[in-house]
Amino acid sequence: MDCIFCKIVAGQIPSPRLYEDANTIVIRDVSPQSKHHFLVLPKKHVASLADLFANEAEGRGVMGDLFSAANAVAKQEGLLTAGFRSVINTGADGGQTVFHLHLHVLGGQKMKGTFA
Ligand code: DGP
């Protein structure tokens, strides 16, 4: 499968890992939209949030993994007290450009605006 995030998970494309556990890695976004901008990726390929919940139990598990990793990396990078934003873009109208599920974690500055 030609998936850039699968290649990062497999180590075929080098990308430093800020955090890793059994099911998840966290990398820096290549095009940061805030002072800190991380991407939380499930190691197992799933295209999007919409696809993930084709299996309800698996969906619940993966979302728990992603938010647990997001919180861990926010703590590690010193964002917990000041706060941060977490975002998942889903599909064309959601602005998703890479079709391997990922959770954006943005912080290190006061976020403005919320929606489009
Ligand atoms: P989204 O629009 O939600 O699908 O966000 C995809 C994000 O992925 C976008 O902010 C840029 C980032 N990105 C794309 N390619 C790469 C890459 O090769 N490495 C890293 N670290 N980030 C990437």
Side-chain angles (χ1 to χ4, degrees):
M1 186 189 308
D2 195 22
C3 168
I4 193 149
F5 286 174
C6 281
K7 288 179 181 165
I8 288 173
V9 168
Q12 291 162 2
I13 296 175
S15 187
R17 297 172 186 209
L18 297 166
Y19 172 90
E20 178 169 11
D21 61 30
N23 300 321
T24 313
I25 67 167
V26 181
I27 60 173
R28 285 188 202 284
D29 195 292
V30 77
S31 174
Q33 302 299 308
S34 59
K35 191 173 170 205
H36 294 287
H37 186 172
F38 313 129
L39 300 173
V40 185
L41 317 180
K43 289 183 177 176
K44 183 178 170 187
H45 181 86
V46 57
S48 72
L49 185 63
D51 284 22
L52 179 65
F53 277 88
N55 180 325
E56 176 79 20
E58 189 175 359
R60 287 171 182 267
V62 170
M63 291 311 292
D65 291 342
L66 294 185
F67 277 99
S68 172
N71 202 62
V73 84
K75 185 175 184 183
Q76 183 182 295
E77 301 299 317
L79 304 181
L80 271 194
T81 304
F84 59 95
R85 178 172 291 173
S86 38
V87 175
I88 296 177
N89 297 324
T90 303
D93 277 5
Q96 185 174 6
T97 58
V98 177
F99 285 82
H100 178 127
L101 176 65
H102 51 282
L103 173 63
H104 295 260
V105 175
L106 302 117
Q109 64 190 64
K110 191 97 175 163
M111 305 302 289
K112 297 184 194 137
T114 309
F115 303 115

